[in-house]
Amino acid sequence: MAKAIGRKLRCGVIGLGMGRGHIQGYQSHPACELVAVADMDEGRLAQAKAEFKVPHAYTDALEMVKQAELDVVSVATPNKFHAPLTIAALKAGCHVLCEKPMAMTLAEALAMQRTAVACRKKLGINFSYRFSAMSFALKQQVDAGLIGKIYFGRTVWHRRRGMPGFGGWFGNKELAGGGPLIDLGVHRIDLALWLMGHPRPVSVSGSTYNIIAARKAREEKKHYSVEDLAAGIVKFDNGATLMVEASWALNNNENEHMVTSLYGEKGGLVQKNRNGTYDFTAEIYTEEGGNLYTKVLDQAVTQPPNAYHDFVDSILQDREPLAKAEDGIRVQMILDGLYRSAAEGREIRFK
Ligand SMILES: NC(=O)c1ccc[n+]([C@@H]2O[C@H](COP(=O)([O-])OP(=O)(O)OC[C@H]3O[C@@H](n4cnc5c(N)ncnc54)[C@H](O)[C@@H]3O)[C@@H](O)[C@H]2O)c1
């Protein structure tokens, strides 16, 4: 039961693709009841209502937010609707867990955070790749000082061919805000920033390309108005540098390649996926007594919190969620800067 209000928290989910995971997250928390779902796709709405036995279903998300007397709302729609729906839900008195990317632009992300502060509600961002045993084990070692100050890194997610829902909203700049950088890159940037202790970006320089996806779009007569590859360099206020790469289509040797390598004064770490799967390995490199060691993480014993449960617990315990609005804003600064840098052909410096 929710300590603060003496009853279960009433939860609602908007957008029933990834939102189905949010439903399961809330339904498995003992202090929550999932009372409403919203999706403009009536088929998906009916399916979720029946499958998860949800009392109320809405085709209009704003109507749900106004009528369903909710404490918690998840926003899991195409990116364009993250900011307006989050702001509407916060203003209606709900805590909001918004999917990544936080928003289409930094300005939107800042407006979301300002609204959360003004309404005194929690705002969390679903940076789900932090919430794994491997990521937590590495974070533990960084926090224990094994790596020392991290001064250089590289964080990457490449797909050989993997434009999600080709021809749909993911490849439409109006609805998505960008391509693989805003979709996949956000996860790897967030993971790197979290492990690095969230230094503040001071400048970025980036390039975007649309070669392979553009060719396919012409051949298949599909809409595609975002990049298929983005790459860039980010410099931070503590002197550290991070290289960022993200693609949905690249003439690479692996179908799915994720790697985050961070190099510190005392050690280095690499978190990467195994053979194109979503199974990860973690290694740490150190020098001890003049000898160079490679430590391979065999088993991670610390179970990470479930992302949805962490958000609910942050409400019950009146603390910040693990992945908070400020973290989303740091990532969004980098996304905005890289896209602007690519468009204007120059380095972007942040004030
Ligand atoms: N954290 C993760 O690992 C992860 C994984 C996948 C997707 N996502 C994010 O989740 C979001 C949704 O992605 P998806 O893969 O589920 O997309 P999707 O297209 O499968 O689902 C989006 C749903 O939102 C509905 N919708 C669109 N506009 C709406 C509106 N205004 N009101 C109500 N419903 C609306 C659509 O009908 C659709 O059912 C994206 O922002 C994506 O980046 C995150």
Side-chain angles (χ1 to χ4, degrees):
M1 297 287 277
K3 277 188 226 131
I5 51 177
R7 58 167 173 79
K8 289 196 175 192
L9 293 173
R10 293 169 60 83
C11 304
V13 173
I14 308 173
L16 298 170
M18 183 61 194
R20 293 166 59 86
H22 292 239
I23 292 176
Q24 289 166 304
Y26 296 131
Q27 285 189 328
S28 61
H29 194 296
C32 294
E33 53 180 333
L34 197 279
V35 294
V37 285
D39 198 302
M40 55 202 355
D41 178 328
E42 291 184 12
R44 276 190 162 184
L45 191 63
Q47 161 79 27
K49 185 176 192 303
E51 185 180 336
F52 298 107
K53 301 188 174 43
V54 189
H56 305 287
Y58 297 82
T59 47
D60 181 339
L62 291 176
E63 207 174 297
M64 178 187 93
V65 162
K66 280 187 205 138
Q67 293 182 0
E69 297 180 347
L70 300 169
D71 300 298
V72 183
V73 167
S74 272
V75 176
T77 59
N79 307 342
K80 181 183 169 83
F81 309 110
H82 287 189
L85 290 174
T86 293
I87 288 172
L90 289 166
K91 285 186 173 166
C94 307
H95 303 281
V96 179
L97 177 58
C98 180
E99 262 306 335
K100 54 49 65 172
M102 183 170 179
M104 303 269 278
T105 64
L106 178 60
E108 282 186 354
L110 290 168
M112 291 159 78
Q113 186 204 29
R114 275 197 304 276
T115 310
V117 171
C119 297
R120 297 173 186 228
K121 294 292 162 194
K122 308 281 179 209
L123 173 55
I125 312 300
N126 194 24
F127 287 127
S128 43
Y129 282 73
R130 279 195 212 177
F131 293 84
S132 79
M134 288 289 176
S135 302
F136 263 67
L138 286 172
K139 178 71 171 155
Q140 225 170 30
Q141 294 292 0
V142 173
D143 288 349
L146 197 78
I147 308 297
K149 187 199 152 194
I150 295 167
Y151 56 90
F152 180 64
R154 183 168 169 257
T155 199
V156 173
W157 189 336
H158 285 310
R159 285 190 183 152
R160 191 167 184 170
R161 296 290 184 274
M163 290 82 82
F166 193 48
W169 75 262
F170 277 98
N172 183 333
K173 195 160 195 301
E174 286 286 301
L175 293 169
L181 179 64
I182 205 168
D183 181 45
L184 307 178
V186 286
H187 281 303
R188 303 313 294 185
I189 295 170
D190 174 71
L191 186 68
L193 293 185
W194 178 58
L195 291 168
M196 293 168 83
H198 282 105
R200 186 181 162 78
V202 291
S203 71
V204 299
S205 186
S207 303
T208 57
Y209 300 88
N210 180 13
I211 309 288
I212 298 166
R215 192 164 59 224
K216 272 191 167 300
R218 278 194 302 275
E219 284 165 7
E220 296 178 24
K221 298 195 175 12
K222 297 233 165 104
H223 178 93
Y224 191 87
S225 49
V226 296
E227 81 279 4
D228 64 8
L229 164 72
I233 180 166
V234 187
K235 295 186 180 182
F236 297 94
D237 58 354
N238 65 353
T241 301
L242 181 69
M243 315 292 291
V244 175
E245 296 170 33
S247 67
W248 281 334
L250 188 69
N251 290 321
N252 193 27
N253 61 339
E254 284 182 74
N255 289 330
E256 192 92 69
H257 173 68
M258 296 174 238
V259 60
T260 297
S261 317
L262 298 173
Y263 304 101
E265 290 174 354
K266 288 162 64 181
L269 68 83
V270 172
Q271 195 251 33
K272 66 187 269 227
N273 70 322
R274 218 188 285 265
N275 304 324
T277 67
Y278 282 62
D279 181 25
F280 289 88
T281 62
E283 292 186 1
I284 286 180
Y285 313 110
T286 57
E287 179 179 340
E288 287 161 41
N291 297 312
L292 299 178
Y293 285 89
T294 297
K295 300 183 182 191
V296 180
L297 180 63
D298 261 343
Q299 278 184 356
V301 288
T302 311
Q303 273 312 304
N306 167 307
Y308 312 103
H309 290 194
D310 174 72
F311 185 65
V312 169
D313 292 342
S314 80
I315 298 166
L316 299 178
Q317 296 160 10
D318 194 18
R319 61 163 172 83
E320 287 285 6
L322 187 66
K324 52 189 189 295
E326 283 75 9
D327 302 348
I329 286 170
R330 283 281 153 97
V331 175
Q332 206 81 41
M333 276 176 85
I334 294 173
L335 300 177
D336 253 38
L338 288 173
Y339 281 129
R340 265 182 65 206
S341 169
E344 297 175 18
R346 63 182 180 93
E347 183 187 68
I348 302 296
R349 299 191 73 79
F350 301 114
K351 286 184 200 113

